[in-house]
Amino acid sequence: MPQNTLSNEFLSTLNTHKVENQPRWNKFNLFKADKPLQFWLRKFDGNWAEDRLINLGKFYGDQGVEEGELANNYPPEFVSHDRNGHRIDTVSYHPSYHRLMDFAVSNQIPSLPWQENKQGAHVIRAVMEYLHMQADAGSGCPLTMTFAAVAALKHSPKIAQEWLPKITADRYDGEDKPYYEKQGVTIGMAMTEKQGGSDVRANTTYAEPISKAGNGEVYRIVGHKWFCSAPMSDGFLVLAQAERGLSCFLMPRWTPEGQKNHFQIQRLKSKLGNKSNASSEIEFRGASAWLIGEEGKGVRTIIDMVSLTRFDCMVGSSALMRSALFHALNFTSQRNAFGKKLIDQPLMKNVLADLALESEAVLALSMRVAHALDNRENESEKQFTRIVTAIGKYWICKRAPHFIYEAMESIGGIGYVESNFLPRLYREAPVNAIWEGSGNVQCLDLLRVMLKEPETIESMLKELSSQQGIYEKYDQFLDQTVRLLAVSENIEFRLRIIVDHLAKAIIASTLIKYGEAQVAEVYCEEKLFRNGESIGTFSSDKWVDYLIARSACQLIVS
Ligand SMILES: Cc1cc2nc3c(=O)[nH]c(=O)nc-3n(C[C@H](O)[C@H](O)[C@H](O)COP(=O)(O)OP(=O)(O)OC[C@H]3O[C@@H](n4cnc5c(N)ncnc54)[C@H](O)[C@@H]3O)c2cc1C
């Protein structure tokens, strides 16, 4: 039948249904919409950057999220040779990746505390990283490594003098060209080898001085690395065996003579998540690199970088959790089931309040460590950073996957669908626990501190006990934690129990000392001695509406 003869009445029967009760996706200013984030920023002296953070929040909640989507949907590709067969060892990224990097570097995400020696600078940088990671975690990797490398490079004043101004410049240049032709550079790190990642002593990559040995001198390096993320970085902190043992080097991708260094990419890893970031396998075929610090003291040198990348794993996983919470709150506040908005259903309230509390708890812990970094001249804050970075990385990164899964479930079936945001967050979540020292390695790090620097534990316990006398459950929990620490028998086997306790005690103490009283109260009442294993098992609804409103009240921001 010709179409124009169909009656309107018949045509209306072809409309199978109206799309109803499906929430709209809103664009948010990720900073303005996040009340707990603003709270912790102000608490730890970061208010002087609020205008800048409002701009960042606008970008990351809008264009940044879209760029992140593209950068992950079109992951980087390895280009081994040019069309004429010359080896070029390059990686081609989607333009969105470069735009994200450009925005982040020009807003000083890798450099703020190194450029502005002001109280709150580490806190502000952590907040910026937190916002960036919600749009795209993959590009967060080179940003973090570039930020953290500064601490290690300071071990070699000669090299630092040439490289630090470019590393801390607010200029991004993603071109494949020598570092000295660039105004700004990025830095990667290559430690892990096939036969050993956690145990870097097993590294077989070796280094020999070209003319003379010593800090800042040039060495020739032969070997391989099983993981090297962001292989288009301009320089890499590399571990290799020298005559006096494992040593740290800075290897430029292009030599000072203007040639590609003898550094070959074998292939890119195909990963579960973290798609926008390239992670490669590489080989050094006589690549040249400068010794950083003393020969044989490579771990001691690079650990200054690694402790900061570990801190960023805390911030990064907290950001993924916040993003998942955001989506859960956005959806449940618009979706009806059984006659009410999901967010108003008592059982869902229990889940959402628990997620909101957990999200603020990990944010508070991350910001507390950022605050300690701002005050690292103070010995007890330095000790706090040392110990709480290991505990926090272990605790936060491990909680993210389950947290994100639970947020996904609160969105229902569409939460599991790729066009939604949650699958990307979920795939991203495990990596922060694995790289930069996996869970057990963090626990063993704590044990090392317990055995070699007992004064550090003492100082932390002093801080924890200063919050006693307010919440009975906190007092009981702290007593239990101290008793656990006192038993040395079979301690390595029991380490995870100890770290779990310490993590919860430190979070509770941070919330009591610096946080809102309601948040501290619920954490002490509901989290220290949990009522059930699952999320959403609060025994009381006393502060549930408060917690949800605290995270959701600013949800609709254009
Ligand atoms: C996406 C991605 C990107 C990466 N990028 C980089 C990079 O840029 N540069 C780089 O150098 N590395 C990188 N890595 C490597 C990463 O840091 C290592 O995979 C990690 O440190 C673990 O090392 P491994 O894989 O050799 O595992 P192993 O060291 O074999 O450890 C396996 C497991 O055993 C546990 N374990 C180890 N020792 C002990 C012990 N004594 N007691 C109990 N348990 C123990 C570990 O906690 C871990 O769970 C990357 C990894 C991933 C997944």
Side-chain angles (χ1 to χ4, degrees):
M1 190 189 289
Q3 208 177 11
N4 61 6
T5 62
L6 288 173
S7 70
N8 281 344
E9 200 182 337
F10 177 72
L11 276 174
S12 73
T13 66
L14 296 178
N15 293 329
T16 58
H17 67 290
K18 277 209 296 203
V19 179
E20 289 176 311
N21 197 25
Q22 277 293 341
R24 292 271 171 198
W25 161 245
N26 296 302
K27 286 180 173 172
F28 307 114
N29 181 316
L30 293 186
F31 179 72
K32 275 167 74 179
D34 192 337
K35 205 171 173 184
L37 185 63
Q38 292 163 28
F39 176 88
W40 289 100
L41 173 86
R42 288 172 195 151
K43 182 60 67 178
F44 292 133
D45 312 314
N47 7 11
W48 52 272
E50 281 197 32
D51 288 346
R52 173 201 295 228
L53 292 170
I54 290 171
N55 279 336
L56 261 79
K58 184 170 186 302
F59 172 82
Y60 286 121
D62 186 351
Q63 186 189 338
V65 174
E66 283 170 16
E67 303 278 20
E69 203 63 18
L70 287 167
N72 282 276
N73 289 345
Y74 300 94
E77 286 176 10
F78 171 42
V79 187
S80 58
H81 296 81
D82 69 8
R83 61 166 63 88
N84 299 107
H86 301 109
R87 182 122 200 164
I88 53 172
D89 287 286
T90 193
V91 177
S92 162
Y93 292 85
H94 189 272
S96 287
Y97 173 89
H98 290 298
R99 281 195 287 270
L100 284 164
M101 288 293 291
D102 189 30
F103 183 82
V105 174
S106 41
N107 278 286
Q108 301 180 297
I109 292 188
S111 61
L112 182 73
W114 312 133
Q115 285 188 339
E116 299 202 35
N117 189 14
K118 260 167 94 172
Q119 184 66 14
H122 272 285
V123 171
I124 293 160
R125 192 209 66 89
V127 171
M128 295 199 288
E129 175 91 4
Y130 187 78
L131 296 172
H132 183 98
M133 298 289 277
Q134 292 180 57
D136 175 48
S139 49
C141 170
L143 294 173
T144 286
M145 292 193 290
T146 303
F147 158 66
V150 172
L153 286 173
K154 285 185 176 166
H155 288 269
S156 182
K158 187 171 130 193
I159 305 301
Q161 198 182 15
E162 184 180 8
W163 280 76
L164 290 194
K166 290 180 192 293
I167 293 173
T168 57
D170 47 14
R171 296 289 291 272
Y172 173 68
D173 187 339
E175 289 281 309
D176 187 10
K177 64 184 186 194
Y179 62 92
Y180 53 81
E181 289 179 12
K182 295 188 176 191
Q183 288 179 303
V185 298
T186 59
I187 300 292
M189 147 168 84
M191 298 186 289
T192 311
E193 298 186 5
K194 287 173 186 155
Q195 70 283 355
S198 310
D199 188 0
V200 287
R201 295 169 309 175
N203 276 191
T204 57
T205 294
Y206 65 91
E208 286 169 353
I210 288 181
S211 58
K212 90 176 182 219
N215 194 352
E217 298 298 334
V218 184
Y219 286 59
R220 187 85 61 214
I221 301 200
V222 175
H224 81 283
K225 294 290 166 182
W226 185 220
F227 280 92
C228 174
S229 290
M232 293 305 285
S233 303
D234 299 289
F236 301 85
L237 271 289
V238 171
L239 285 183
Q241 304 284 1
E243 197 182 343
R244 294 180 181 200
L246 200 59
S247 308
C248 179
F249 297 86
L250 174 67
M251 182 183 288
R253 204 159 47 75
W254 287 72
T255 65
E257 295 74 37
Q259 279 141 15
K260 278 268 174 93
N261 211 342
H262 296 291
F263 163 118
Q264 284 191 351
I265 300 173
Q266 303 305 304
R267 59 175 172 174
L268 299 188
K269 304 272 196 201
S270 172
K271 299 174 288 184
L272 169 68
N274 197 251
K275 301 274 185 192
S276 60
N277 181 29
S279 299
S280 63
E281 295 165 20
I282 54 175
E283 288 182 4
F284 308 132
R285 298 163 181 269
S288 51
W290 298 281
L291 178 68
I292 305 297
E294 285 178 53
E295 248 193 46
K297 300 274 188 316
V299 173
R300 197 178 292 174
T301 305
I302 210 165
I303 203 71
D304 286 347
M305 174 178 188
V306 172
S307 61
L308 288 175
T309 58
R310 286 178 178 172
F311 164 62
D312 267 12
C313 290
M314 294 171 62
V315 176
S317 286
S318 305
L320 299 177
M321 290 161 79
R322 172 67 200 179
S323 185
L325 172 67
F326 231 12
H327 289 277
L329 291 171
N330 183 44
F331 186 91
T332 54
S333 62
Q334 296 181 60
R335 173 88 164 171
N336 279 291
F338 301 99
K340 266 195 214 172
K341 289 257 164 34
L342 279 173
I343 203 169
D344 296 324
Q345 298 282 6
L347 187 52
M348 184 60 92
K349 277 188 182 188
N350 202 335
V351 173
L352 294 173
D354 198 346
L355 290 174
L357 178 62
E358 186 76 32
S359 170
E360 179 155 358
V362 296
L363 173 67
L365 185 61
S366 302
M367 291 302 133
R368 175 66 186 90
V369 176
H371 180 59
L373 284 169
D374 271 323
N375 294 285
R376 62 199 175 288
E377 304 308 325
N378 172 324
E379 190 55 30
S380 67
E381 288 297 276
K382 199 169 151 192
Q383 290 171 337
F384 186 86
T385 312
R386 167 84 182 88
I387 194 164
V388 181
T389 303
I391 295 167
K393 182 188 184 284
Y394 174 87
W395 176 258
I396 299 177
C397 301
K398 280 211 177 301
R399 294 186 85 70
H402 185 68
F403 179 104
I404 293 166
Y405 142 70
E406 197 66 67
M408 180 189 279
E409 186 177 311
S410 70
I411 296 176
I414 195 72
Y416 191 71
V417 172
E418 282 294 342
S419 56
N420 200 294
F421 206 72
L422 273 295
R424 168 145 74 94
L425 292 178
Y426 188 66
R427 281 196 303 268
E428 185 68 38
V431 76
N432 280 334
I434 295 172
W435 65 15
E436 306 305 324
S438 311
N440 287 354
V441 170
Q442 300 308 313
C443 295
L444 291 166
D445 195 32
L446 174 74
L447 180 60
R448 201 168 304 121
V449 178
M450 286 163 72
L451 298 175
K452 293 197 170 162
E453 304 164 40
E455 68 285 358
T456 301
I457 305 287
E458 290 302 319
S459 153
M460 189 193 58
L461 289 177
K462 208 164 131 202
E463 159 133 6
L464 296 184
S465 53
S466 67
Q467 309 314 319
Q468 279 179 312
I470 303 168
Y471 299 107
E472 209 181 323
K473 284 214 171 132
Y474 175 74
D475 298 353
Q476 290 166 358
F477 189 77
L478 191 55
D479 285 348
Q480 199 183 82
T481 307
V482 171
R483 280 201 302 277
L484 273 172
L485 276 166
V487 180
S488 56
E489 196 188 328
N490 215 5
I491 194 161
E492 196 168 322
F493 183 73
R494 296 185 298 111
L495 270 175
R496 283 189 178 218
I497 303 172
I498 294 173
V499 178
D500 280 355
H501 272 74
L502 282 173
K504 286 204 270 186
I506 296 163
I507 288 173
S509 128
T510 303
L511 293 175
I512 297 169
K513 185 167 178 183
Y514 301 100
E516 291 286 22
Q518 298 92 324
V519 180
E521 184 184 319
V522 196
Y523 196 86
C524 293
E525 288 299 326
E526 303 284 359
K527 290 287 200 180
L528 297 179
F529 300 97
R530 274 203 84 99
N531 298 302
E533 293 301 320
S534 306
I535 287 176
T537 50
F538 283 6
S539 56
S540 157
D541 62 2
K542 184 175 169 197
W543 294 117
V544 156
D545 288 333
Y546 168 83
L547 285 171
I548 294 174
R550 183 168 167 78
S551 280
C553 64
Q554 312 248 348
L555 208 52
I556 308 301
V557 180
S558 60

